[in-house]
Structures are given as structure tokens and as C-alpha cells.
Amino acid sequence: MRLPLILCTGVFALALAACGEETVDVPEATDAAAVPADAAGAATAPAPASTQPIDVVQIGANEVQVGTSVDATQAATGAKAVYALGDTVHASIDTRAHPGAMATVYWTDNNGMSQKIEKKAMTGDHVAFAFSRADGMKPGKYSVGIDVDNVPVGLADFKVQ
């Protein structure tokens, strides 16, 4: 029983190292007599000494602004409930919380099909992106999502008729 535990521990440590992740301290194998038992006599694993914090990505409902134009600070303005087939839809995010970062926008249709992907350096007060089609957009629902340095920061939906 001791050999599989040691082998499993070694494989786990190698897998973490191969992925480029931080290594964690893995307790050494112990004799079965030293492992605590529950009331029924079954061996129980000791609780970890500490836990690592988990990174959580916060997606702000209002982080992405959508509209028909941009103002002098590059913020999207003129939000509408429904956009026309020939409209240009603008999306922007505030750059002040992410100075010097790279923003990527993803425009998708209601089927989840990518319509346009674009990257821009975040300078000024806002970074703005535009989406339109020379032959007009197709009617339906669309989404625009923006990542900052490959971390999602917001998502907005809009409708075209």
C-alpha cells in the first residue's frame, strides 16, 4: 500500500512541474498505524495545513459600454435597445483600472459564431472598438466581450433588426 502512495505523490509532483505551475508541499507517506482513523476504523486523510487562494475573475456587468458612437474620451455613447442593420456598434471599457494593458474584443452572433476579433493597447481614458458590416449586419442577437491581458472583464449583449 505504501508504494502506490509514494508513486502517486511523485507523479503528481512531476505533473505540476511539467505544467509550469508552482509546486506544493506534499506530505510524505506514513505508516498505516500513524494515519488517523474514523469511528469505524477506516483511515482518514489529514486535513491540509493551509489552502492556496483561488484566483477569481470578476466580470463587471457595466464594464463594457455599447453605443452608436464614441465621445472625446473614446467612451461608447448613444446606447439603444435595438440597432439597425446598417449601424456601426461601438464598445468601450475604461482603461484607468488597467493602464498599459492589452485589450481584446470578441464580437459574436447569436449562434456563438465569431464575427470579429481585434486587439488594442489601452491608452487614454477608454479603449473603443467598432463593429459593422459593409453589406449590413444580419438581424439577431449579438454579444461583445472584452478581455484585458487575456482575462475577461465584461460582456454586453445587443440586438440588431
Side-chain angles (χ1 to χ4, degrees), residues 64 91 103-109 113-119 129 131 142-156 158:
V64 176
T104 306
V105 68
Y106 301 90
W107 301 91
T108 57
D109 65 16
M113 299 296 293
S114 176
Q115 298 297 306
K116 183 178 180 182
I117 299 172
E118 184 180 2
K119 290 185 178 191
F129 299 93
F131 176 67
Y142 290 79
S143 292
V144 56
I146 299 180
D147 292 0
V148 174
D149 287 341
N150 299 317
V151 176
V153 295
L155 180 69
F158 61 96

Side-chain angles (χ1 to χ4, degrees), residues 76-104:
T77 60
K80 300 190 322 186
V82 178
Y83 294 85
L85 302 177
D87 281 349
T88 297
V89 180
H90 298 269
S92 68
I93 59 168
D94 190 319
T95 62
R96 293 170 285 193
H98 318 281
M102 182 64 71
T104 306

Side-chain angles (χ1 to χ4, degrees), residues 64-79 90-96 124-129:
V64 176
Q65 301 294 321
V66 177
T68 56
S69 60
V70 293
D71 65 15
T73 68
Q74 294 297 298
T77 60
H90 298 269
S92 68
I93 59 168
D94 190 319
T95 62
R96 293 170 285 193
D125 291 339
H126 296 86
V127 62
F129 299 93

